[in-house]
Amino acid sequence: MSKELSRGISLELTEEVTPDKTAEAIGSGMLPVYATPAMIALMENCACNSILDHLEDGQGSVGISMNVEHVSATAEGRQVRAVATLDEVDGRRLVFRVEAYDDAGLIGKGTHERFIINNERFLEKAKSK
């Protein structure tokens, strides 16, 4: 099913808190601070991309759950670094530990689950609904 998909696979990505990534712009709050949905998207992007080299041709993965706490605000113009680490492989179900940091420390943490899929079959099923 997959090539050497094992615990410990990890990826780190960084982005700047730009005006379009604030709670005010996204609509998840009223202040110009890093939006929780933006943080979650960065975390999920880390998890998704961390396993790409470990999947067979035609395979992909989809997010099936996210359980995250946003514990500290980050002002516009600052950098955010997210890390996703594969903690559990249960057949096609993957569980990641996700964390996000700014230069002052931890801003978010939690778990994210993904499921390995056959891209073509998944799209066919989605289109047939």
Side-chain angles (χ1 to χ4, degrees), residues 16-115:
E16 181 180 343
V17 181
T18 54
D20 62 312
K21 292 184 175 87
T22 64
E24 180 179 51
I26 289 177
S28 64
M30 298 170 56
L31 298 174
V33 295
Y34 195 48
T36 301
M39 180 186 74
I40 289 170
L42 184 61
M43 291 170 159
E44 186 166 13
N45 193 348
C46 283
C48 179
N49 285 300
S50 71
I51 61 169
L52 287 179
D53 291 341
H54 303 276
L55 299 176
E56 299 291 336
D57 289 342
Q59 286 185 326
S61 70
V62 291
I64 60 172
S65 76
M66 181 69 84
N67 183 7
V68 172
E69 296 177 65
H70 195 165
V71 298
S72 182
T74 304
E76 192 176 322
R78 309 255 312 264
Q79 294 290 310
V80 172
R81 175 177 58 90
V83 181
T85 305
L86 184 56
D87 273 350
E88 182 182 339
V89 179
D90 180 16
R92 296 187 303 152
R93 183 179 150 272
L94 310 174
V95 180
F96 293 85
R97 180 179 67 250
V98 290
E99 299 164 325
Y101 302 87
D102 62 18
D103 58 352
L106 183 73
I107 65 164
K109 62 182 179 174
T111 58
H112 172 49
E113 290 185 52
R114 299 191 70 76
F115 205 79

XYZ file of all heavy atoms in Angstrom, residues 16-115:
742
model
N 4.575 33.737 7.046
C 4.427 35.032 7.703
C 2.953 35.311 7.953
O 2.099 34.939 7.145
C 5.007 36.145 6.820
C 4.913 37.516 7.461
C 5.488 38.615 6.596
O 6.244 38.306 5.653
O 5.180 39.785 6.874
N 2.656 35.941 9.062
C 1.288 36.364 9.346
C 1.026 37.628 8.524
O 1.370 38.731 8.916
C 1.060 36.624 10.851
C -0.393 37.031 11.093
C 1.418 35.393 11.671
N 0.450 37.425 7.359
C 0.119 38.522 6.449
C -1.329 38.953 6.705
O -2.095 38.213 7.350
C 0.307 38.067 4.993
O -0.446 36.864 4.782
C 1.779 37.807 4.678
N -1.721 40.115 6.201
C -3.087 40.603 6.463
C -4.189 39.608 6.093
O -5.213 39.531 6.775
C -3.164 41.871 5.605
C -1.761 42.367 5.539
C -0.915 41.115 5.471
N -3.993 38.824 5.032
C -5.010 37.861 4.615
C -5.086 36.626 5.509
O -6.015 35.829 5.383
C -4.778 37.438 3.159
C -3.440 36.752 2.953
O -2.418 37.280 3.438
O -3.412 35.685 2.304
N -4.154 36.476 6.429
C -4.148 35.321 7.339
C -4.571 35.704 8.761
O -4.368 34.946 9.691
C -2.761 34.688 7.352
C -2.395 34.031 6.034
C -1.066 33.330 6.113
C -0.777 32.598 4.836
N -0.134 33.412 3.831
N -5.149 36.895 8.904
C -5.587 37.329 10.235
C -7.033 36.907 10.490
O -7.821 36.676 9.552
C -5.486 38.859 10.390
O -6.393 39.481 9.472
C -4.056 39.349 10.175
N -7.371 36.828 11.763
C -8.740 36.496 12.156
C -9.722 37.515 11.588
O -10.821 37.167 11.141
C -8.833 36.437 13.682
N -9.313 38.766 11.578
C -10.143 39.841 11.042
C -10.468 39.598 9.564
O -11.614 39.721 9.139
C -9.387 41.157 11.225
C -10.085 42.389 10.743
C -9.237 43.623 10.998
O -8.038 43.633 10.612
O -9.772 44.554 11.588
N -9.474 39.215 8.778
C -9.667 39.008 7.337
C -10.445 37.728 7.039
O -11.307 37.715 6.151
C -8.318 38.958 6.630
N -10.142 36.675 7.764
C -10.781 35.373 7.508
C -12.206 35.333 8.054
O -13.045 34.594 7.557
C -9.913 34.233 8.084
C -8.644 34.088 7.233
C -10.666 32.913 8.161
C -7.661 33.051 7.727
N -12.462 36.142 9.081
C -13.798 36.158 9.666
C -13.936 35.255 10.882
O -15.041 34.978 11.342
N -12.809 34.801 11.415
C -12.868 33.945 12.600
C -12.687 34.745 13.884
O -12.653 34.181 14.976
C -11.791 32.853 12.514
O -10.502 33.435 12.538
N -12.581 36.054 13.750
C -12.427 36.952 14.887
C -12.417 38.376 14.379
O -12.624 38.623 13.190
N -12.151 39.310 15.280
C -12.246 40.717 14.905
C -10.913 41.451 14.976
O -10.848 42.645 14.727
C -13.267 41.398 15.806
C -14.658 40.796 15.624
S -15.877 41.325 16.832
C -15.825 43.090 16.671
N -9.846 40.735 15.294
C -8.554 41.388 15.481
C -7.544 40.976 14.409
O -7.630 39.869 13.860
C -8.001 41.062 16.871
C -8.855 41.540 18.045
C -8.292 41.034 19.359
C -8.973 43.048 18.045
N -6.557 41.834 14.149
C -5.523 41.510 13.154
C -4.406 40.655 13.747
O -3.253 41.054 13.830
C -5.020 42.898 12.730
C -5.188 43.733 13.956
C -6.437 43.227 14.624
N -4.784 39.453 14.200
C -3.834 38.459 14.712
C -4.003 37.181 13.895
O -5.015 36.986 13.222
C -4.051 38.166 16.221
C -3.749 39.397 17.061
C -5.458 37.655 16.481
N -3.008 36.307 13.961
C -3.027 35.054 13.196
C -4.306 34.282 13.480
O -4.661 34.016 14.635
C -1.808 34.227 13.587
C -1.462 33.088 12.665
C -1.394 33.250 11.289
C -1.141 31.840 13.187
C -1.029 32.204 10.454
C -0.772 30.788 12.364
C -0.723 30.976 11.001
O -0.352 29.938 10.177
N -5.017 33.937 12.432
C -6.293 33.243 12.544
C -6.101 31.763 12.847
O -5.201 31.118 12.288
C -7.089 33.398 11.256
N -6.957 31.243 13.694
C -6.922 29.806 13.995
C -7.066 28.976 12.712
O -6.314 28.012 12.528
C -7.994 29.442 15.030
O -7.755 30.196 16.225
C -7.970 27.953 15.354
N -7.994 29.304 11.795
C -8.075 28.519 10.556
C -6.782 28.546 9.739
O -6.440 27.555 9.090
C -9.227 29.169 9.787
C -10.067 29.809 10.835
C -9.098 30.279 11.882
N -6.053 29.660 9.770
C -4.777 29.734 9.043
C -3.748 28.826 9.697
O -2.980 28.136 9.008
C -4.270 31.176 9.001
N -3.719 28.803 11.034
C -2.791 27.934 11.745
C -3.097 26.462 11.455
O -2.199 25.663 11.186
C -2.865 28.194 13.259
C -1.923 27.329 14.068
S -2.140 27.531 15.862
C -3.689 26.638 16.115
N -4.376 26.124 11.473
C -4.793 24.748 11.201
C -4.419 24.356 9.771
O -3.933 23.241 9.530
C -6.300 24.578 11.470
C -6.550 24.632 12.986
C -6.833 23.288 10.867
C -8.015 24.713 13.369
N -4.619 25.250 8.824
C -4.259 24.956 7.423
C -2.764 24.702 7.292
O -2.346 23.779 6.574
C -4.695 26.101 6.513
N -1.943 25.493 7.977
C -0.493 25.285 7.921
C -0.115 23.938 8.540
O 0.708 23.200 7.992
C 0.233 26.434 8.627
C 1.760 26.410 8.566
C 2.265 26.485 7.122
C 2.336 27.549 9.399
N -0.731 23.598 9.658
C -0.481 22.302 10.300
C -0.864 21.153 9.376
O -0.122 20.184 9.212
C -1.269 22.189 11.611
C -0.812 23.090 12.711
S -2.017 23.028 14.067
C -1.016 23.608 15.437
N -2.046 21.254 8.763
C -2.514 20.194 7.872
C -1.626 20.085 6.641
O -1.340 18.984 6.161
C -3.974 20.433 7.467
C -4.536 19.283 6.673
C -6.042 19.308 6.534
O -6.680 20.334 6.833
O -6.578 18.273 6.099
N -1.165 21.218 6.136
C -0.254 21.226 4.998
C 1.031 20.465 5.348
O 1.551 19.686 4.541
C 0.042 22.676 4.608
C 0.714 22.811 3.274
O 1.183 21.864 2.678
N 0.792 24.037 2.795
N 1.544 20.673 6.547
C 2.741 19.943 7.002
C 2.496 18.440 6.991
O 3.308 17.672 6.481
C 3.122 20.356 8.423
S 3.955 21.921 8.573
N 1.374 18.029 7.587
C 1.070 16.599 7.667
C 0.904 16.002 6.279
O 1.502 14.966 5.955
C -0.182 16.380 8.506
N 0.130 16.649 5.437
C -0.139 16.162 4.083
C 1.157 16.004 3.286
O 1.399 14.966 2.665
C -1.097 17.126 3.392
S -1.488 16.673 1.697
N 1.985 17.018 3.316
C 3.210 17.002 2.517
C 4.313 16.127 3.104
O 5.197 15.680 2.382
C 3.706 18.428 2.292
C 2.862 19.135 1.268
O 2.763 18.713 0.133
N 2.212 20.210 1.683
N 4.250 15.853 4.404
C 5.305 15.050 5.027
C 5.343 13.619 4.510
O 6.388 12.977 4.529
C 5.145 15.032 6.552
O 4.018 14.260 6.942
N 4.220 13.120 4.034
C 4.156 11.708 3.619
C 4.168 11.504 2.110
O 4.139 10.355 1.647
C 2.920 11.012 4.229
C 1.638 11.693 3.759
C 3.032 10.969 5.749
C 0.373 10.926 4.087
N 4.212 12.566 1.340
C 4.111 12.437 -0.120
C 5.120 11.456 -0.710
O 4.768 10.656 -1.579
C 4.268 13.805 -0.794
C 3.092 14.754 -0.650
C 3.395 16.078 -1.347
C 1.811 14.142 -1.189
N 6.347 11.506 -0.259
C 7.383 10.615 -0.807
C 7.228 9.171 -0.343
O 7.962 8.296 -0.801
C 8.776 11.110 -0.427
C 9.146 12.406 -1.122
O 8.519 12.734 -2.150
O 10.059 13.094 -0.635
N 6.281 8.925 0.547
C 6.092 7.587 1.105
C 4.833 6.905 0.573
O 4.482 5.825 1.034
C 6.043 7.671 2.633
C 7.260 8.294 3.226
N 8.407 7.580 3.487
C 7.529 9.574 3.558
C 9.325 8.394 3.980
N 8.822 9.604 4.028
N 4.147 7.544 -0.361
C 2.933 6.978 -0.940
C 3.222 6.370 -2.307
O 4.131 6.795 -3.005
C 1.857 8.061 -1.076
C 1.393 8.720 0.218
C 0.396 9.836 -0.091
C 0.805 7.703 1.174
N 2.432 5.377 -2.673
C 2.540 4.757 -3.992
C 1.944 5.695 -5.042
O 1.147 6.576 -4.719
C 1.778 3.422 -4.005
C 2.292 2.397 -3.012
C 3.661 1.850 -3.358
O 4.038 1.895 -4.547
O 4.348 1.374 -2.442
N 2.297 5.484 -6.303
C 1.699 6.253 -7.397
C 0.189 6.102 -7.336
O -0.319 4.991 -7.147
C 2.209 5.766 -8.753
C 3.662 6.147 -8.997
O 4.170 7.062 -8.311
O 4.287 5.534 -9.876
N -0.522 7.201 -7.505
C -1.983 7.168 -7.494
C -2.592 7.315 -6.117
O -3.813 7.421 -5.992
N -1.762 7.306 -5.077
C -2.272 7.472 -3.721
C -2.165 8.927 -3.284
O -1.324 9.683 -3.762
C -1.491 6.623 -2.714
C -1.788 5.159 -2.768
C -1.059 4.413 -1.652
O 0.050 4.766 -1.270
N -1.690 3.370 -1.158
N -3.017 9.287 -2.352
C -2.978 10.583 -1.705
C -3.460 10.390 -0.282
O -3.594 9.264 0.197
N -3.727 11.487 0.376
C -4.299 11.391 1.713
C -5.293 12.522 1.901
O -5.188 13.577 1.264
C -3.214 11.442 2.787
O -2.627 12.728 2.882
N -6.266 12.278 2.750
C -7.265 13.286 3.075
C -7.332 13.433 4.585
O -7.179 12.462 5.330
C -8.664 12.937 2.510
C -8.675 13.023 1.003
C -9.132 11.572 2.973
N -7.545 14.661 5.024
C -7.721 14.919 6.444
C -9.089 14.454 6.877
O -10.083 14.699 6.181
N -9.152 13.761 8.025
C -10.445 13.291 8.520
C -10.796 13.870 9.887
O -11.954 13.854 10.273
C -10.539 11.747 8.537
C -9.474 11.138 9.427
C -10.456 11.200 7.116
C -9.634 9.634 9.649
N -9.805 14.386 10.609
C -10.123 15.073 11.862
C -8.960 15.950 12.286
O -7.805 15.708 11.921
C -10.471 14.081 12.979
O -9.311 13.467 13.489
N -9.299 16.967 13.055
C -8.306 17.892 13.588
C -8.774 18.281 14.989
O -9.914 18.713 15.163
C -8.210 19.124 12.687
C -7.191 20.157 13.098
S -5.476 19.663 12.917
C -5.165 20.042 11.219
N -7.912 18.105 15.960
C -8.214 18.491 17.334
C -7.065 19.361 17.809
O -5.993 18.846 18.141
C -8.384 17.255 18.220
C -8.773 17.622 19.637
O -9.035 18.776 19.947
N -8.792 16.630 20.508
N -7.269 20.683 17.789
C -6.179 21.631 18.012
C -6.590 22.704 19.009
O -7.725 23.172 18.989
C -5.778 22.291 16.667
C -4.801 23.422 16.875
C -5.189 21.270 15.720
N -5.645 23.083 19.846
C -5.804 24.241 20.723
C -4.937 25.367 20.179
O -3.775 25.140 19.853
C -5.309 23.922 22.134
C -6.067 22.861 22.866
C -5.420 22.593 24.213
O -5.416 23.502 25.069
O -4.897 21.473 24.384
N -5.502 26.564 20.090
C -4.734 27.756 19.718
C -4.480 28.483 21.034
O -5.375 29.119 21.575
C -5.540 28.606 18.743
C -4.727 29.633 18.033
N -5.194 30.283 16.921
C -3.490 30.130 18.255
C -4.284 31.142 16.487
N -3.238 31.073 17.287
N -3.258 28.391 21.560
C -2.978 28.800 22.940
C -2.370 30.185 23.094
O -2.289 30.705 24.208
C -2.083 27.761 23.662
C -2.796 26.413 23.734
C -0.731 27.609 22.976
N -1.940 30.809 21.991
C -1.313 32.126 22.095
C -1.455 32.878 20.775
O -1.321 32.297 19.704
C 0.174 31.966 22.443
O 0.800 33.214 22.599
N -1.722 34.177 20.877
C -1.910 35.008 19.688
C -0.564 35.409 19.081
O 0.438 35.541 19.785
C -2.693 36.263 20.052
N -0.576 35.613 17.750
C 0.607 36.066 17.019
C 0.217 37.271 16.177
O -0.739 37.206 15.401
C 1.154 34.947 16.112
O 1.433 33.796 16.911
C 2.418 35.387 15.401
N 0.964 38.350 16.329
C 0.665 39.592 15.620
C 1.034 39.500 14.142
O 1.920 38.736 13.748
C 1.422 40.758 16.264
N 0.365 40.315 13.363
C 0.658 40.443 11.930
C 2.133 40.817 11.745
O 2.704 41.567 12.525
C -0.235 41.537 11.354
C -0.268 41.602 9.868
C -1.249 42.657 9.380
O -2.332 42.817 9.976
O -0.911 43.322 8.390
N 2.747 40.245 10.704
C 4.143 40.521 10.396
C 5.122 39.546 11.020
O 6.284 39.496 10.633
N 4.674 38.724 11.966
C 5.552 37.750 12.613
C 5.546 36.447 11.817
O 4.685 36.191 10.996
C 5.082 37.470 14.054
C 4.870 38.730 14.872
C 5.886 39.098 15.905
N 6.368 38.145 16.835
C 5.912 37.976 18.074
N 4.894 38.678 18.521
N 6.489 37.099 18.874
N 6.534 35.618 12.079
C 6.654 34.311 11.435
C 6.021 33.235 12.316
O 6.148 33.276 13.545
C 8.127 33.953 11.208
C 8.837 34.850 10.217
C 8.342 34.626 8.805
O 8.257 33.508 8.309
N 8.013 35.718 8.133
N 5.377 32.272 11.670
C 4.830 31.100 12.357
C 5.454 29.866 11.736
O 5.558 29.752 10.521
C 3.295 31.043 12.239
C 2.756 29.727 12.778
C 2.658 32.216 12.960
N 5.881 28.960 12.589
C 6.482 27.691 12.160
C 5.595 26.553 12.654
O 5.285 26.483 13.840
C 7.886 27.569 12.754
C 8.576 26.251 12.495
C 9.996 26.262 13.062
N 10.056 26.533 14.489
C 10.015 25.601 15.443
N 9.908 24.327 15.127
N 10.087 25.940 16.710
N 5.171 25.698 11.751
C 4.363 24.535 12.118
C 5.163 23.263 11.879
O 5.985 23.195 10.964
C 3.071 24.494 11.311
N 4.906 22.277 12.723
C 5.568 20.980 12.624
C 4.502 19.898 12.739
O 3.641 19.963 13.619
C 6.605 20.782 13.759
C 7.295 19.435 13.632
C 7.605 21.915 13.795
N 4.563 18.921 11.854
C 3.702 17.737 11.940
C 4.596 16.517 11.998
O 5.516 16.377 11.193
C 2.776 17.653 10.729
N 4.320 15.646 12.958
C 5.098 14.417 13.132
C 4.147 13.235 13.165
O 3.180 13.233 13.941
C 5.910 14.463 14.447
O 6.721 15.644 14.437
C 6.783 13.229 14.589
N 4.414 12.246 12.323
C 3.577 11.046 12.271
C 3.807 10.219 13.531
O 4.915 9.755 13.783
C 3.902 10.233 11.014
C 3.062 8.992 10.750
C 1.572 9.314 10.689
C 3.522 8.326 9.463
N 2.756 10.064 14.332
C 2.842 9.334 15.600
C 2.267 7.927 15.540
O 2.627 7.076 16.351
C 2.112 10.096 16.712
C 2.982 11.114 17.405
O 4.204 11.128 17.174
O 2.436 11.905 18.198
N 1.335 7.695 14.608
C 0.673 6.388 14.574
C 0.300 6.026 13.141
O -0.207 6.864 12.397
C -0.595 6.441 15.438
C -1.347 5.145 15.527
C -2.626 5.284 16.351
O -2.748 6.219 17.166
O -3.506 4.426 16.157
N 0.568 4.778 12.776
C 0.151 4.237 11.487
C -0.706 3.021 11.788
O -0.246 2.055 12.388
C 1.363 3.828 10.613
C 0.892 3.248 9.287
C 2.291 5.005 10.388
N -1.985 3.088 11.404
C -2.934 2.002 11.645
C -3.590 1.671 10.310
O -4.635 2.231 9.968
C -3.960 2.444 12.692
C -4.982 1.371 13.003
O -4.758 0.185 12.660
O -6.030 1.712 13.591
N -2.930 0.823 9.524
C -3.411 0.546 8.177
C -3.314 1.802 7.338
O -2.239 2.382 7.197
N -4.467 2.259 6.836
C -4.486 3.480 6.030
C -4.736 4.734 6.871
O -4.710 5.838 6.353
C -5.540 3.359 4.927
C -5.195 2.239 3.941
C -6.116 2.209 2.747
N -7.513 2.071 3.137
C -8.540 2.522 2.426
N -8.344 3.142 1.289
N -9.774 2.351 2.841
N -4.974 4.572 8.150
C -5.229 5.698 9.059
C -3.917 6.175 9.677
O -3.147 5.381 10.202
C -6.194 5.268 10.159
C -6.587 6.366 11.107
C -7.594 5.799 12.147
N -7.470 6.507 13.383
C -6.638 6.215 14.380
N -5.838 5.173 14.292
N -6.605 6.937 15.469
N -3.678 7.486 9.594
C -2.455 8.091 10.108
C -2.804 9.133 11.158
O -3.730 9.920 10.955
C -1.681 8.773 8.973
C -1.442 7.949 7.706
C -0.810 8.819 6.640
C -0.589 6.734 8.011
N -2.061 9.163 12.257
C -2.276 10.162 13.302
C -0.995 10.970 13.467
O 0.083 10.400 13.682
C -2.672 9.507 14.643
C -2.893 10.584 15.709
C -3.920 8.638 14.484
N -1.135 12.282 13.369
C -0.009 13.204 13.478
C -0.114 14.038 14.750
O -1.215 14.451 15.131
C 0.000 14.185 12.296
C 0.286 13.558 10.978
C -0.731 12.972 10.235
C 1.570 13.557 10.460
C -0.475 12.398 9.002
C 1.846 12.979 9.237
C 0.815 12.404 8.500
N 1.014 14.335 15.347
C 1.115 15.366 16.377
C 1.435 16.651 15.627
O 2.365 16.681 14.814
C 2.215 15.033 17.378
C 2.380 16.069 18.483
C 3.459 15.700 19.487
N 4.791 15.724 18.875
C 5.543 14.667 18.614
N 5.117 13.460 18.899
N 6.731 14.804 18.067
N 0.665 17.703 15.859
C 0.887 18.976 15.187
C 1.137 20.064 16.222
O 0.522 20.073 17.287
C -0.294 19.356 14.259
C -0.349 18.441 13.047
C -1.624 19.339 14.990
N 2.063 20.958 15.891
C 2.410 22.062 16.773
C 2.719 23.283 15.925
O 3.151 23.150 14.782
C 3.642 21.721 17.612
C 3.439 20.521 18.507
C 4.743 19.952 19.042
O 5.760 19.979 18.308
O 4.729 19.479 20.177
N 2.505 24.459 16.495
C 2.855 25.705 15.819
C 3.532 26.626 16.831
O 3.181 26.641 18.014
C 1.626 26.375 15.229
N 4.499 27.396 16.327
C 5.312 28.278 17.165
C 5.488 29.623 16.484
O 5.516 29.708 15.263
C 6.718 27.686 17.361
C 6.737 26.321 17.978
C 6.621 25.180 17.187
C 6.885 26.162 19.349
C 6.641 23.916 17.749
C 6.909 24.896 19.923
C 6.785 23.782 19.126
O 6.806 22.529 19.687
N 5.640 30.671 17.293
C 6.188 31.925 16.794
C 7.485 32.154 17.557
O 7.924 31.263 18.303
C 5.189 33.093 16.907
C 4.773 33.429 18.332
O 5.468 33.023 19.297
O 3.752 34.122 18.490
N 8.106 33.307 17.397
C 9.409 33.502 18.035
C 9.334 33.566 19.560
O 10.355 33.480 20.239
C 10.140 34.725 17.467
C 9.353 36.009 17.622
O 8.179 35.974 18.022
O 9.931 37.074 17.319
N 8.132 33.679 20.112
C 7.975 33.692 21.573
C 7.678 32.309 22.140
O 7.681 32.124 23.356
C 6.868 34.661 21.967
N 7.399 31.326 21.267
C 7.137 29.972 21.758
C 5.913 29.335 21.135
O 5.439 29.743 20.072
N 5.389 28.341 21.828
C 4.258 27.545 21.355
C 3.004 28.406 21.204
O 2.655 29.157 22.115
C 3.973 26.408 22.338
C 2.859 25.441 21.962
C 3.310 24.534 20.823
C 2.454 24.613 23.171
N 2.333 28.286 20.054
C 1.060 28.995 19.867
C -0.104 28.036 19.610
O -1.264 28.416 19.746
C 1.122 30.036 18.739
C 1.337 29.390 17.375
C 2.159 31.107 19.047
C 1.041 30.299 16.202
N 0.189 26.791 19.233
C -0.871 25.835 18.968
C -0.358 24.414 19.025
O 0.810 24.161 18.748
N -1.259 23.491 19.397
C -0.862 22.083 19.489
C -2.096 21.205 19.373
O -3.212 21.638 19.656
C -0.159 21.803 20.811
C -1.039 22.054 22.022
C -0.306 21.826 23.312
C -1.245 22.117 24.483
N -0.659 21.785 25.753
N -1.869 19.960 18.952
C -2.977 19.029 18.876
C -2.647 17.799 18.061
O -1.476 17.449 17.877
N -3.703 17.154 17.565
C -3.559 15.963 16.743
C -4.360 16.132 15.460
O -5.359 16.858 15.418
C -4.048 14.693 17.471
O -5.420 14.866 17.840
C -3.203 14.397 18.682
N -3.893 15.450 14.434
C -4.545 15.495 13.125
C -4.529 14.085 12.554
O -3.495 13.420 12.573
C -3.786 16.458 12.212
C -4.243 16.461 10.798
N -5.560 16.564 10.432
C -3.542 16.373 9.637
C -5.655 16.543 9.110
N -4.439 16.419 8.610
N -5.686 13.633 12.061
C -5.776 12.317 11.441
C -5.969 12.474 9.939
O -6.706 13.334 9.480
C -6.959 11.532 12.007
C -6.768 11.096 13.428
C -7.913 10.218 13.902
O -8.234 9.223 13.216
O -8.479 10.542 14.951
N -5.292 11.594 9.195
C -5.422 11.537 7.749
C -5.686 10.091 7.352
O -5.374 9.167 8.109
C -4.158 12.045 7.048
C -3.845 13.492 7.387
C -2.770 14.087 6.514
N -3.228 14.292 5.143
C -4.036 15.276 4.756
N -4.500 16.148 5.627
N -4.372 15.390 3.484
N -6.236 9.908 6.178
C -6.529 8.577 5.663
C -5.918 8.475 4.275
O -6.100 9.357 3.437
C -8.050 8.384 5.594
C -8.481 6.973 5.659
C -8.539 6.308 6.867
C -8.832 6.277 4.506
C -8.952 4.994 6.931
C -9.235 4.958 4.557
C -9.299 4.314 5.770
